[in-house]
C-alpha cells in the first residue's frame, strides 16, 4: 500500500482510540508513529503498534491522561504527564516552553510520570525549525549493564539534539545510550538476523549476537563502554531525578502483564541562540557542517532520514501489505 502521511496517521489514531486512548491523545501519538514510518525509522514506526496496544490494554498507561503544566520559575516548565504518553505532555507544555524561552532566553521543560515509546527527533526538530537550539533526554526502565555491574540499573536512555542551519533544514541527531536501541534489537529478532558483537549479553551475562537472548532476560551494553555509561547516568539524573520521574530501576510494569513502555521522565532544554550569538548562529552552524564535508564526511546524522522523508512526501509512504492488514485489524478488533 502507498499512503499519505495523513492517511496513515488517521488509521493509527483510529487503532489507538479503539484500544482506550482519547481521540485527542490518539491523534498526538499517531503523528509520531506515522512520522517514523515516513522517515523510514522502522524501529519506532508501525513495529511499535502492538506494544502501544498491549500497554494500553494492560492498564499500565492512561490513554486518556490530561497533563498538568506549571511554571514555577521564569525558565522552568514542570509537566505532570499523569501516567500518559509523552507526546501528549509535549503538546500541553509547548506554549509555556516557548513563552519561557522567548522571555528568559532559555527554558527547561521537566516532564514526569510519562511514557515515551517513540524516537526522540520529533521532540526537538520542530523547535529548531523555529530557530531554537533544543536538547532532550529520556530515561527508560533498566536495560543496560554498566561499569562492571551484574544487573541492569540504567535504561537505554536516548538523547536528541537539534539546531537551525542557514539555508538547510535543522541539523538533528538522535540516539540511544546503548550501542543499539532496544527497538533495533526487536527489529533484528522480528526480521530473523543477528546483531553485531558488543550490543548485548545473554541471561548468563555472556556476550551474544542473538537478539532473542538479549531480549529474553539478557541486557544491552552502553555505546563507548564506560564513557557511554556516564552519559546514561547523566540522563537518568536529568530525566528522572530533576523532573520527579521514576528511575528505571523503580519500574513496576511487571505488575501489568503486556506492558511494554517505561513510566519515567523527560528533560528538554530550549535555548534561543539569538540571545547569545545574535543573527550569526545559523550561518556558523552551516560553516561547521561545510568544514566537515570538506574533511570528507559524506553522511551527517539526520541526512539519511531527511532523504527518506523527501521521497515519502513526494511518492507516498510504502506500507507492506502484511503491516497494512495488521493495522486495519487493530482498528477493528
Ligand atoms: P542510530 O545509531 O541508528 O543513529 C544515531 C544517530 O546517528 C542518528 O541521528 C543517525 O542519523 C546517525 N547516524 C547513523 N549512522 C550514521 C552514519 N553512518 N554516519 C553518520 N550518522 C549516522 O540510533 P540508535 O539505534 O541509537 O537509536 C534509534 C532510535 O531509538 C532513536 O530514534 C532513539 O530516539 C530511539 N530510542 C527511543 C527510546 C525511548 O525510550 N523512547 C529508547 C532508546 C532509543 P539518521 O537518522 O539520519 O540515520
Amino acid at each position: 500500500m502507498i499512503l499519505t502521511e495523513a492517511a496513515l496517521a488517521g488509521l493509527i489514531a483510529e487503532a489507538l482510540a479503539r484500544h482506550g486512548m482519547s481521540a485527542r491523545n490518539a491523534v498526538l501519538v499517531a503523528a509520531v508513529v506515522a512520522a517514523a514510518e515516513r522517515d523510514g525509522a522502522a524501529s519506532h514506526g508501525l513495529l511499535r503498534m502492538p506494544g502501544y496496544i498491549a500497554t494500553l490494554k494492560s492498564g499500565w498507561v492512561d490513554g486518556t491522561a490530561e497533563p498538568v503544566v506549571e511554571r514555577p520559575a521564569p525558565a522552568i516548565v514542570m509537566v505532570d504527564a499523569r501516567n500518559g504518553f509523552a507526546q501528549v505532555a509535549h503538546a500541553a507544555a509547548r506554549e509555556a516552553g516557548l513563552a519561557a524561552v522567548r522571555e528568559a532566553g532559555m527554558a527547561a521543560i521537566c516532564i514526569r510520570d510519562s511514557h515515551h515509546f517513540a524516537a526522540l527527533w520529533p521532540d526537538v526538530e520542530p523547535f529548531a525549525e523555529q530557530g531554537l537550539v533544543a536538547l532532550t533526554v529520556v530515561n527508560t526502565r533498566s536495560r543496560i549493564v554498566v561499569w562492571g555491574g551484574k544487573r541492569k540499573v540504567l535504561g537505554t536512555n536516548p538523547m536528541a539534539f537539534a539546531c537551525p542551519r542557514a539555508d538547510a533544514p535543522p541539523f538533528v541527531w538522535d540516539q540511544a545510550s546503548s550501542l543499539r536501541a532496544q527497538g533495533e534489537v526487536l527489529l533484528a529478532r522480528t526480521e530473523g538476523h543477528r546483531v553485531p558483537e558488543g550490543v548485548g549479553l545473554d541471561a548468563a551475562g555472556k556476550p551474544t549476537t542473538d537478539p532473542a537472548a538479549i531480549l529474553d532476560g539478557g541486557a544491552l551494553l552502553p555505546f563507548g563502554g564506560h564513557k557511554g555509561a556516564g552519559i546514561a547516568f547523566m540522563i537518568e539524573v536529568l530525566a528522572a531525578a530533576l523532573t520527579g520521574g521514576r528511575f528505571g530501576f523503580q519500574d513496576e510494569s511487571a505488575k501489568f502483564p503486556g506492558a511494554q513502555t517505561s513510566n519515567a521522565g523527560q528533560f528538554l532544554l530550549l535555548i534561543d541562540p539569538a540571545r547569545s550569538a545574535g543573527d550569526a548562529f545559523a550561518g556558523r552552524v552551516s560553516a561547521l557542517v561545510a568544514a566537515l564535508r570538506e574533511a570528507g564526511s559524506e553522511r551527517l546524522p539526520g541526512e539519511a532520514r531527511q532523504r527518506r522523508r523527501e521521497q515519502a512526501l513526494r511518492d507516498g509512504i510504502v506500507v507492506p501489505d502484511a503491516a497494512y492488514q495488521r493495522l486495519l485489524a487493530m482498528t477493528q478488533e
Side-chain angles (χ1 to χ4, degrees):
M1 285 297 292
I2 297 181
L3 299 177
T4 62
E5 186 179 354
L8 179 58
L11 277 177
I12 295 168
E14 211 180 313
L16 293 170
R18 176 100 189 158
H19 291 89
M21 288 194 82
S22 63
R24 183 179 176 276
N25 291 2
V27 166
L28 293 167
V29 174
V32 298
V33 179
E37 282 296 318
R38 178 200 65 202
D39 284 17
S43 61
H44 288 81
L46 290 175
L47 180 78
R48 294 274 159 158
M49 284 301 286
Y52 277 108
I53 288 176
T55 308
L56 282 163
K57 279 184 177 165
S58 75
W60 170 236
V61 67
D62 181 357
T64 66
E66 297 196 5
V68 176
V69 179
E70 289 172 336
R71 198 169 152 198
I76 307 275
V77 176
M78 299 296 298
V79 189
D80 181 348
R82 308 290 289 263
N83 195 32
F85 284 106
Q87 289 72 30
V88 180
H90 294 166
R94 190 172 171 77
E95 211 175 295
L98 286 173
V101 71
R102 296 294 179 216
E103 284 166 40
M106 61 194 301
I109 302 178
C110 302
I111 302 173
R112 65 182 182 278
D113 203 9
S114 58
H115 297 246
H116 205 302
F117 203 47
L120 265 62
W121 52 261
D123 303 348
V124 288
E125 200 175 59
F127 289 115
E129 284 166 353
Q130 291 194 253
L132 300 170
V133 175
L135 175 75
T136 192
V137 294
V138 168
N139 72 313
T140 77
R141 65 171 91 161
S142 307
R143 292 203 196 283
I144 66 173
V145 169
V146 298
W147 295 324
K150 301 280 178 274
R151 280 197 316 277
K152 297 176 277 193
V153 176
L154 302 176
T156 49
N157 298 2
M159 63 207 94
F161 171 83
C163 65
R165 279 189 288 178
D167 308 322
F171 181 93
V172 185
W173 64 250
D174 171 24
Q175 65 176 63
S177 290
S178 48
L179 184 57
R180 282 284 187 283
Q182 169 100 349
E184 297 290 337
V185 181
L186 202 61
L187 194 60
R189 182 173 69 177
T190 306
E191 292 177 349
H193 59 79
R194 301 188 88 80
V195 297
E197 280 177 23
V199 167
L201 308 173
D202 65 15
K206 299 237 163 39
T208 179
T209 59
D210 176 3
I214 295 171
L215 294 169
D216 301 334
L220 290 162
L221 290 166
F223 76 91
H226 59 280
K227 298 184 183 181
I231 304 277
F233 178 87
M234 177 191 74
I235 292 175
E236 200 81 31
V237 170
L238 292 176
L242 207 63
T243 65
R246 236 183 251 239
F247 286 121
F249 70 84
Q250 295 172 324
D251 176 58
E252 292 183 47
S253 60
K255 293 180 187 162
F256 296 81
Q260 293 187 29
T261 60
S262 305
N263 174 314
Q266 177 163 13
F267 175 80
L268 276 115
L269 183 65
L270 306 178
I271 302 170
D272 182 355
R275 302 290 275 273
S276 58
D279 293 340
F281 180 78
R284 295 205 67 201
V285 176
S286 288
L288 176 61
V289 168
L292 287 163
R293 291 226 193 280
E294 264 179 52
S297 299
E298 284 174 5
R299 173 181 168 187
L300 297 181
E303 286 184 344
R305 199 167 52 72
Q306 190 66 35
R307 270 197 300 278
R308 293 193 294 264
R309 177 185 300 184
E310 282 160 15
Q311 187 178 349
L313 291 176
R314 198 180 53 235
D315 305 336
I317 302 173
V318 181
V319 180
D321 198 42
Y324 181 68
Q325 294 306 333
R326 274 197 300 274
L327 180 59
L328 279 189
M330 288 175 207
T331 65
Q332 285 152 19
E333 67 197 9

